[in-house]
Amino acid sequence: TGGKAHLVQVGDILDRGEEERPCIDLLLRLRADAAKAGGAVHLLLGNHEIMNVDLDFRYVTSRHAWEGWQRREREGGTMRPEDREAGAELSMVLREMGWPLLTMDRVEAFRPGGHVTMEALAQTSVAVVIGDNVFVHGGLKLEHAEYGLERINWETRAWLVEGSTMAQFQHKPDILESIDAPIWNRQYSVPSPKEESLDELEQVLRKLRARRMIMGHTPQLKGINAVFSKHGYEAWRCDTGMSRAMMAGPVEVLELLKDGTVRIITPKGVVPSAERSPERVGGFVDVCDVGSGLCTPVPEELLQLQVLKEEREEA
């Protein structure tokens, strides 16, 4: 149906209720079908995907979300000997850590080298450039652009496929171990970004030879919208919280056409981009500041790393 079009999903498929695996399966099937038709489906890593690989399951939203992550071979009644050995080792480690065995299938699925990580997450990106558009879950800083998006993507994939032992869980790329990491950054997603943030947006997009940055991560209570820098560079904020496990927000899609037209597709029709800038809509609320619980806080260990980093810089 999409032909040669590109579809970009900007992350956070996980921790959104009981239908995570069907969502992953659907997106992988669409990606295969799109490739056959000359198009593409791009899946990005969100902070919740990375948290699951880190075995941070605080936001698993349902008891049933622990279930259904068995290897496909096991579901079919067969299991390779090496998988059986790895499962026994993992079961022992979980018992030693005091984790309930209920968590075992999800841990086995999402650890680095886990079967769902290999099948799905390791085939995704942290950020991708398509034409003059940059897509990322949270937001890119200039240091990320200078480091190189291909390098970030490669290092992240290497970590995701790295291995099966608990000791290897610590090899996450340094670029992700920051409160301003591409999967955590919110500087462009608040209702009225600071002027220095918009200046950095321009620097990032110039470096990447792009015109706009498209991101998710921070729910927008009034739907998809944009903020513009003084020289016309654009930051499009596309997280509407549409999942029923979040806030059942508006179902909307950002459409970018080859001729430069930008518009929002909604169940009620197409909305021109000019109607979705904060200045035109007005009254935007920062959901992260109103105690809504909709914004996942940065893990405490990343905050501690930031403090250590600042202390070293001062010294």
Side-chain angles (χ1 to χ4, degrees):
T1 302
K4 295 183 179 181
H6 288 242
L7 169 69
V8 183
Q9 200 282 335
V10 292
D12 278 4
I13 304 168
L14 298 178
D15 298 341
R16 296 294 182 268
E18 301 174 10
E19 298 177 344
E20 297 164 300
R21 191 157 196 177
C23 286
I24 291 174
D25 290 343
L26 171 62
L27 288 166
L28 293 180
R29 188 168 67 250
L30 287 175
R31 182 166 63 186
D33 291 345
K36 294 176 184 176
V41 172
H42 307 267
L43 307 179
L44 301 188
L45 290 164
N47 57 300
H48 284 270
E49 281 74 50
I50 296 299
M51 291 168 73
N52 273 262
V53 178
D54 271 337
L55 308 188
D56 183 346
F57 297 136
R58 288 174 295 166
Y59 295 91
V60 174
T61 51
S62 165
R63 179 178 65 83
H64 298 290
W66 296 103
E67 304 168 353
W69 295 108
Q70 300 93 339
R71 292 179 183 270
R72 300 296 190 190
E73 296 93 338
R74 188 189 304 173
E75 294 170 356
T78 62
M79 192 174 182
R80 297 176 303 176
E82 58 267 35
D83 293 339
R84 188 176 294 106
E85 292 175 9
E89 179 184 351
L90 183 59
S91 176
M92 180 180 67
V93 171
L94 291 177
R95 282 197 297 269
E96 291 175 352
M97 295 173 62
W99 285 35
L101 289 183
L102 170 69
T103 65
M104 180 173 170
D105 284 343
R106 193 171 182 110
V107 171
E108 187 179 19
F110 286 107
R111 61 168 173 78
H115 56 280
V116 176
T117 294
M118 295 288 286
E119 166 191 326
L121 303 188
Q123 312 303 318
T124 63
S125 302
V126 174
V128 64
V129 179
I130 304 174
D132 58 358
N133 307 295
V134 182
F135 298 86
V136 65
H137 180 67
L140 294 172
K141 297 184 67 65
L142 182 58
E143 64 188 81
H144 304 145
E146 292 176 339
Y147 192 80
L149 301 190
E150 290 186 8
R151 183 180 177 187
I152 293 172
N153 290 333
W154 184 89
E155 290 180 355
T156 301
R157 291 175 189 139
W159 167 60
L160 292 173
V161 303
E162 187 166 49
S164 59
T165 66
M166 298 298 286
Q168 291 173 304
F169 285 171
Q170 306 303 317
H171 294 190
K172 184 163 65 170
D174 289 342
I175 205 79
L176 299 181
E177 292 277 42
S178 166
I179 61 174
D180 293 321
I183 58 170
W184 287 107
N185 189 7
R186 299 188 193 272
Q187 72 184 92
Y188 310 119
S189 296
V190 294
S192 299
K194 296 179 181 178
E195 186 172 340
E196 54 263 36
S197 291
L198 294 180
D199 289 342
E200 184 166 21
L201 174 73
E202 291 193 355
Q203 292 175 312
V204 171
L205 292 177
R206 286 194 185 113
K207 178 74 175 179
L208 298 175
R209 298 181 179 180
R211 178 181 177 183
R212 60 184 66 86
M213 188 183 300
I214 298 95
M215 64 210 78
H217 191 41
T218 305
Q220 306 292 314
L221 295 184
K222 292 196 174 183
I224 293 174
N225 67 88
V227 63
F228 305 96
S229 73
K230 57 189 174 185
H231 294 116
Y233 290 88
E234 306 169 14
W236 281 91
R237 298 86 70 87
C238 297
D239 187 340
T240 67
M242 70 173 70
S243 169
R244 292 191 299 272
M246 282 292 289
M247 64 182 193
V251 177
E252 296 185 342
V253 176
L254 184 69
E255 184 180 44
L256 307 168
L257 302 180
K258 282 187 176 181
D259 64 4
T261 300
V262 180
R263 56 188 190 174
I264 298 92
I265 300 175
T266 78
K268 296 181 179 180
V270 175
V271 179
S273 61
E275 296 184 15
R276 287 296 185 90
S277 71
E279 293 76 15
R280 289 290 300 274
V281 176
F284 272 48
V285 176
D286 188 346
V287 296
C288 299
D289 284 345
V290 297
S292 63
L294 295 175
C295 294
T296 302
V298 175
E300 183 65 30
E301 57 268 26
L302 293 190
L303 295 174
Q304 294 173 358
L305 285 173
Q306 182 68 19
V307 171
L308 291 174
K309 179 182 177 182
E310 292 173 355
E311 289 176 349
R312 285 197 298 268
E313 290 175 350
E314 291 177 359

